[in-house]
């Protein structure tokens, strides 16, 4: 699942979901909204359940930790 953050140039990618994402293409999703369940698909079969999360800015992968820490302080 790929989520485009409007007006920020950021995209959020989630992989290894148990089933296809709950949100449809083009649907607006909000912070805290459930988009899927953690699974063990693809190459993750040998490592067990986990979520692959990526944050990209203008198509380039970035370290998500600083942004997640800022978000966590404000939640």
């Amino acid at each position: 699942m790929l989520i485009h953050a409007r007006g920020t140039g950021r995209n959020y990618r989630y992989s290894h979901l148990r089933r296809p994402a709950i949100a449809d293409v083009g649907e607006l999703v909000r912070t805290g909204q459930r988009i899927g369940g953690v699974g063990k698909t693809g190459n993750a079969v040998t490592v067990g359940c986990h979520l692959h999360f990526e944050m990209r800015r203008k198509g380039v992968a970035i370290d998500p930790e600083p942004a997640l820490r800022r978000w966590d302080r404000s939640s």
Side-chain angles (χ1 to χ4, degrees):
M1 156 151 260
L2 182 66
I3 296 177
H4 301 283
R6 290 190 306 184
T8 68
R10 288 188 186 160
N11 296 321
Y12 305 95
R13 183 172 179 243
Y14 301 85
S15 298
H16 304 300
L17 297 175
R18 187 176 333 160
R19 294 184 186 92
I22 296 169
D24 292 322
V25 173
E27 182 180 342
L28 179 68
V29 294
R30 300 192 182 279
T31 300
Q33 179 179 336
R34 184 176 178 179
I35 57 170
V38 174
K40 56 179 181 177
T41 61
N43 293 331
V45 173
T46 59
V47 296
C49 293
H50 73 280
L51 175 69
H52 178 95
F53 172 75
E54 288 181 22
M55 184 182 282
R56 294 180 169 261
R57 183 178 295 129
K58 297 181 181 177
V60 177
I62 62 171
D63 179 2
E65 186 176 2
L68 294 174
R69 286 188 185 276
R70 282 191 304 274
W71 176 80
D72 193 45
R73 278 196 304 266
S74 66
S75 62

